Amino acid sequence: MERIPVLKLDQFLLVTIQVELHDQLALTLQDDLTTMVSRHSSRGVLIDISALDIVDSFIGRTLAHIAALSRILDAATVLVGMRPAVAITMVELGLTLPGVSTALNVERGMTLLREAVGNEHDDEDDAE
Amino acid sequence: MNKNATDVANVIARHKADILKEWIQRQKESASSLSGIMSSEDALEQSSQFLDLFSAALNEDPSAENDTVWGEVRTMLESVSRSRALQGFSPSETATFVFSLKQPLFQRLRQESKSADTLADAVWAMTTLLDSLGLYTAEVFLRSREQVILQQQQELLDLSTPVVELYRGVLALPLIGTLDSERTHSVMENLLEGIVHHEAAIAIIDITGVPTVDTLVAQHLIKTIAAARLMGAECIISGIRPQIAQTIVHLGVDLGDVTTKASLAEALKLALAKVGRGIAPLKTGTGLS
């Protein structure tokens, strides 16, 4: 079955969507990601959608679900590389993805994730 | 019918100078208010060119439906009509260019024709022909006017939504004028393209120039900010005048967690702080500010 590869990098998971994301594929990705997050106890998930030129309401909702699931499993989600046309479509559809962090490119997304995780470490240090 | 047309063409050929003179006289009378705009040499040249093409086309095919034969006449009329539209002629004045040919032409036809029947036939044929050509000029006239309007609209739209880079990673979007849905769309597109192009992390939307903010405008602003956020850029709204702040609160518009600042300067300071920069006085400065 067709799958989107999920890469593990230290404490983060990377996903680059480079094919057309149809409904079944999105659901499979959601399952894979949750499994991987809990197996590796990852702290962050970065989803790169720069190659995606169509996002419908279902995909948008699935992305929001992935973020919510990761949060429950204690991992931050960053969505990077959304194209202008896609952003406009999402807003027109009313999908503003509250609670999902966004970044312009993978580099900034990684910085954001590291910051999020780093802050938590600091907090722990403070607590100790 | 065909013989008629050839006859007419012959009449035109024989009396070309006379017809031309009278025709131009008619044109001048009908467009007296604008006679200053167009030189009589131009009018003469256009009229004589039209007569030549017209009689040549008449010899070929009188029905005015054959595109290859009448294409040249139509192209010529198009250019005349377009240039007049841009010069500020009215549609009826432009169409009169063709219609005013009728009187001198029919007069010559009456002199030349042998019987009332042939005259009536020829006049009828010419009337339909010239009418269709005249209507065609009016149509082209309107089309070129519409083109001008469309072009101006586009220019206005482009002009009104500039995206400027204030600092590396900080964009400003000064909005001037009322925001409607079409403008919001182009503002949004420009802003998002600008974010990609400049790799911006923060965009300042300055609404000092927006005269009124109602629920719809606020809705549009919120949409734009949401779209920018999806691309990973944060938005700051600046330049909210006291009256506008009052309307926003009275209307119960919820701007959500959007950062707002009173002035562009304040917004810039905040934006710079967010990208880890700041503005500090120079030691060598005059200390005036």
Side-chain angles (χ1 to χ4, degrees):
Chain A
M1 198 171 74
E2 198 182 4
R3 264 171 201 282
I4 293 174
V6 180
L7 314 174
K8 181 181 166 296
L9 185 80
D10 294 337
Q11 46 187 348
F12 304 123
L13 294 180
L14 303 184
V15 183
T16 309
I17 300 169
Q18 285 170 351
V19 290
E20 196 192 327
L21 195 59
H22 52 78
D23 295 1
Q24 189 52 49
L25 201 58
L27 288 177
T28 317
L29 176 67
Q30 182 182 323
D31 287 346
D32 287 356
L33 263 177
T34 23
T35 322
M36 290 278 278
V37 168
S38 81
R39 187 190 302 157
H40 300 291
S41 356
S42 304
R43 304 304 313 278
V45 176
L46 185 136
I47 305 173
D48 172 33
I49 56 165
S50 55
L52 216 60
D53 31 38
I54 299 168
V55 170
D56 60 17
S57 52
F58 185 81
I59 304 298
R61 222 183 55 205
T62 311
L63 289 173
H65 277 179
I66 289 175
L69 284 167
S70 311
R71 203 175 315 123
I72 293 176
L73 295 168
D74 194 25
T77 307
V78 178
L79 202 59
V80 306
M82 190 183 291
R83 293 195 190 175
V86 175
I88 293 174
T89 320
M90 299 264 291
V91 170
E92 294 297 339
L93 287 172
L95 289 165
T96 51
L97 301 182
V100 183
S101 308
T102 48
L104 193 65
N105 48 37
V106 176
E107 205 177 353
R108 291 210 184 149
M110 283 309 282
T111 318
L112 214 64
L113 273 185
R114 283 203 193 94
E115 272 173 16
V117 173
N119 284 344
E120 281 171 22
H121 280 309
D122 292 346
D123 291 348
E124 282 163 21
D125 291 345
D126 291 346
E128 283 162 13
Chain B
M1 198 67 180
N2 218 333
K3 191 178 159 297
N4 263 334
T6 328
D7 282 348
V8 175
N10 286 337
V11 169
I12 294 176
R14 246 175 290 156
H15 299 281
K16 193 188 163 202
D18 287 343
I19 294 178
L20 206 56
K21 211 176 98 194
E22 272 179 53
W23 185 21
I24 285 174
Q25 190 57 39
R26 299 252 154 244
Q27 284 183 46
K28 271 192 187 150
E29 281 165 19
S30 66
S32 55
S33 60
L34 290 157
S35 51
I37 295 178
M38 213 159 131
S39 65
S40 46
E41 288 91 54
D42 272 355
L44 184 70
E45 199 194 308
Q46 284 176 350
S47 307
S48 130
Q49 199 189 349
F50 176 73
L51 262 189
D52 287 345
L53 287 171
F54 183 68
S55 56
L58 266 184
N59 271 327
E60 292 275 332
D61 173 32
S63 62
E65 274 157 18
N66 190 331
D67 274 349
T68 46
V69 180
W70 287 90
E72 240 177 298
V73 179
R74 279 170 198 270
T75 323
M76 193 258 156
L77 280 179
E78 257 175 56
S79 73
V80 169
S81 174
R82 194 158 291 144
S83 74
R84 292 191 178 200
L86 295 179
Q87 275 173 326
F89 280 69
S90 76
S92 57
E93 277 162 348
T94 310
T96 313
F97 172 70
V98 176
F99 290 144
S100 56
L101 174 60
K102 277 185 187 177
Q103 197 171 2
L105 181 61
F106 291 172
Q107 217 164 352
R108 296 292 171 273
L109 284 177
R110 192 159 62 188
Q111 288 168 9
E112 294 274 330
S113 68
K114 282 139 205 126
S115 75
D117 276 354
T118 50
L119 174 64
D121 281 348
V123 165
W124 175 242
M126 285 309 106
T127 305
T128 35
L129 199 56
L130 287 173
D131 280 357
S132 77
L133 289 177
L135 287 177
Y136 183 69
T137 54
E139 222 171 88
V140 174
F141 179 91
L142 276 185
R143 228 182 296 144
S144 39
R145 272 289 173 91
E146 267 162 28
Q147 254 171 13
V148 171
I149 294 173
L150 275 182
Q151 199 184 338
Q152 283 173 342
Q153 238 171 14
Q154 188 55 45
E155 276 171 15
L156 209 64
L157 217 58
D158 290 342
L159 208 67
S160 60
T161 56
V163 175
V164 286
E165 191 181 31
L166 293 181
Y167 188 77
R168 233 180 15 250
V170 180
L171 294 183
L173 186 76
L175 291 180
I176 313 261
T178 324
L179 279 179
D180 55 16
S181 36
E182 194 170 325
R183 257 197 83 191
T184 313
H185 209 77
S186 84
V187 165
M188 210 194 270
E189 259 172 41
N190 280 1
L191 176 64
L192 298 190
E193 295 291 344
I195 287 172
V196 173
H197 182 248
H198 296 287
E199 298 201 340
I202 294 187
I204 302 171
I205 302 178
D206 185 74
I207 58 166
T208 314
V210 180
T212 50
V213 174
D214 54 13
T215 41
L216 208 62
V217 173
Q219 197 59 43
H220 288 149
L221 277 176
I222 289 168
K223 265 190 189 174
T224 310
I225 291 166
R229 200 193 68 86
L230 283 178
M231 307 246 328
E234 196 183 324
C235 284
I236 302 171
I237 298 183
S238 77
I240 302 179
R241 278 173 284 126
Q243 302 97 305
I244 287 186
Q246 284 199 14
T247 2
I248 289 178
V249 172
H250 281 308
L251 287 172
V253 174
D254 182 20
L255 282 179
D257 47 4
V258 182
T259 321
T260 50
K261 285 280 168 194
S263 69
L264 186 58
E266 286 293 316
L268 177 62
K269 219 158 117 188
L270 177 70
L272 285 176
K274 286 199 185 218
V275 294
R277 306 288 149 128
I279 297 175
L282 275 178
K283 281 194 182 100
T284 52
T286 53
L288 278 178
S289 52

